[in-house]
Amino acid sequence: MSAAIDNPEDLRLSRLQEILDSGALRSAGRLLNSLAPAEVAHLLESLPPTKREILWRLVDPAIEGEVLVNVSDEVQAELVKDMDAASWLAAAENLDLDDLTDLVQDMPETVVREVMSALDDQHRHRLETMLSYPEDTAGGLMNTDTVTVRPEVTLDVVLRYLRRLGEEMPPETDALFVVNRDDEYLGVLPLWKLVSGNPDDTVAEVMSLALKPLPVDMPDSEVARYFETHDINSAPVVDENGRLLGRITVDDVVDVIREEGEHQFMSQAGLSEEEDMFAPVLPSARRRAVWLGVNLLTAFLASWVIGLFQATLAKYVALAVLMPIVASMGGIAGSQTLTLAIRGIALGQLTGKNARHLLLKELAVGAINSIIWALVVGAIAGAWFSSISLAVLIAAAITINLLFAAFSGAVLPLLLKQLGIDPALAGSVLLTTVTDVVGFLAFLGLATVFLE
């Protein structure tokens, strides 16, 4: 038996590549359109631009809209650059309202007007409502297509109502929302309670009050945490007066979690989570040049600090040999704390109120590690260069740098957040500068004072 099972998506991608290379476009189209729209989006993102363009022309127009919603912004922009109004309208035709909301924001204004005019009054009003909220809030995530019931009706009446709805029932409905005559949210009626309850009971007798509504302006990251902590599949969204506006389903929350994960991962390298892996060379080089330039400036700062001690380095060559160790140890220790702090901020676990506790804890961890590794590195350096003075100096420098790295790793993310700067994007660059400068300054400064 094979030791590993190939990923089905990898197999499909490999098969599509072979078919495209052979020129059998009809076969490629059949294979492509047998996949779910999200799988098609993934395959398109996995192909270089030339093959991506060929494959996009083979996508069934009936699923084009769903595919566009699932690809990254940069890939989407490339795919739609030659689309005319008729193609846009066809792509929008079969979309759910929440997906249509996402796609409309990328459409040309003339096409948006045509899409709006093609909708009936009810759907047009719903779409306009959803577009009025920022996309990174509960209002931007929600779908206004909900099923509501009054508290005074019986379960038997509700069941007959749902039978009349039939296929018009919104997808992924696991509960009905209970509202009064002013559309104020009162509670939730899970479907399992509806089908298992006494038909003569009223909704008010069996509904649950445990599920709290989400404010329409709640940030999407907090929405994701709410779903995670309450283990739910859907949640109501209300305005400032408590009136029900719509619902958020777990599939929308999964998208938020995935995007946040990609953002944290890509930001560590100074990249956007929307960057196309196969983007043209010049735009990619231009984007990355910004952070390379920032890094160069910080590297010059570290070099300037080293340059202050040229005379000492000229006398003691061993310092140049050992110097990278001090900076490297500080960088790793600081990155550990920085990663922990950024994760805490992203999950809403680290705030100004508990930051002091984290800082003290990380300083304690840094103190223990600095003592341990200062002794290890000091012993090695002392034996290597037969110098007790050098051993003491590098041990002291490592202790100072590790403590400062722990302090910086805990404080920098909170400080950057206060300044409105993304900690994931700027934190690692600034931390590296701090640990390099402090490490070199401590090691070479102590050497200048005690070895001269």
Side-chain angles (χ1 to χ4, degrees), residues 40-190:
V40 175
H42 175 76
L43 290 172
L44 287 170
E45 290 180 330
S46 305
L47 290 169
T50 50
K51 291 184 177 178
R52 182 186 293 159
E53 188 177 341
I54 294 170
L55 212 60
W56 174 239
R57 291 200 294 266
L58 301 177
V59 174
D60 187 342
I63 64 168
E64 277 187 353
E66 291 181 77
V67 173
L68 289 173
V69 170
N70 280 283
V71 296
S72 67
D73 289 349
E74 193 163 318
V75 173
Q76 184 191 95
E78 179 195 329
L79 295 176
V80 304
K81 63 185 178 185
D82 297 321
M83 283 178 65
D84 55 20
S87 299
W88 273 113
L89 289 170
E93 187 176 358
N94 299 310
L95 287 178
D96 293 333
L97 206 56
D98 54 345
D99 289 335
L100 180 58
T101 305
D102 294 333
L103 192 60
V104 158
Q105 298 178 62
D106 300 307
M107 289 180 177
E109 191 174 334
T110 53
V111 178
V112 173
R113 286 197 293 268
E114 291 191 49
V115 170
M116 289 290 193
S117 63
L119 298 173
D120 58 44
D121 291 341
Q122 183 184 35
H123 283 85
R124 187 184 308 114
H125 175 70
R126 287 178 174 178
L127 181 59
E128 288 171 346
T129 300
M130 293 166 68
L131 287 170
S132 66
Y133 300 108
E135 60 180 334
D136 58 351
T137 63
L141 286 176
M142 74 177 182
N143 193 327
T144 56
D145 197 5
T146 60
V147 180
T148 60
V149 292
R150 298 275 189 263
E152 65 273 9
V153 301
T154 64
L155 299 188
D156 182 54
V157 171
V158 176
L159 283 167
R160 282 190 275 118
Y161 170 59
L162 294 184
R163 290 192 192 100
R164 284 203 307 273
L165 280 179
E167 293 184 359
E168 293 182 13
M169 172 87 77
E172 298 171 20
T173 297
D174 64 328
L176 312 180
F177 299 128
V178 185
V179 297
N180 62 19
R181 295 187 182 279
D182 295 322
D183 280 336
E184 293 174 342
Y185 173 78
L186 302 176
V188 65
L189 176 61

Side-chain angles (χ1 to χ4, degrees), residues 179-347:
V179 297
N180 62 19
R181 295 187 182 279
D182 295 322
D183 280 336
E184 293 174 342
Y185 173 78
L186 302 176
V188 65
L189 176 61
L191 291 185
W192 69 268
K193 280 192 175 184
L194 175 62
V195 298
S196 63
N198 186 331
D200 295 325
D201 287 344
T202 64
V203 170
E205 291 176 301
V206 297
M207 72 180 190
S208 171
L209 303 176
L211 184 61
K212 302 301 180 185
L214 308 179
V216 70
D217 57 353
M218 177 183 278
D220 57 3
S221 56
E222 292 184 25
V223 172
R225 283 196 291 274
Y226 185 87
F227 269 72
E228 181 184 4
T229 54
H230 291 79
D231 195 22
I232 54 177
N233 294 317
S234 64
V237 179
V238 297
D239 64 13
E240 63 275 9
N241 298 313
R243 286 193 294 268
L244 183 70
L245 296 174
R247 64 177 180 137
I248 296 174
T249 52
V250 70
D251 59 319
D252 298 313
V253 174
V254 169
D255 290 339
V256 173
I257 294 170
R258 176 180 57 80
E259 288 167 6
E260 282 200 343
E262 289 179 357
H263 172 71
Q264 297 293 333
F265 180 75
M266 297 291 279
S267 292
Q268 291 176 16
L271 300 174
S272 165
E273 65 271 24
E274 296 293 344
E275 181 161 349
D276 178 13
M277 181 167 59
F278 297 106
V281 172
L282 288 179
S284 295
R286 185 169 58 250
R287 279 192 296 263
R288 298 182 198 186
V290 173
W291 284 100
L292 286 171
V294 172
N295 185 70
L296 179 62
L297 290 175
T298 61
F300 272 124
L301 178 60
S303 298
W304 176 74
V305 171
I306 295 171
L308 296 176
F309 303 97
Q310 287 185 61
T312 306
L313 282 168
K315 283 185 182 180
Y316 305 99
V317 178
L319 297 177
V321 175
L322 297 173
M323 195 167 58
I325 297 174
V326 179
S328 176
M329 292 292 286
I332 294 296
S335 295
Q336 291 170 340
T337 303
L338 181 77
T339 302
L340 193 68
I342 291 174
R343 176 180 174 272
I345 290 173
L347 296 176

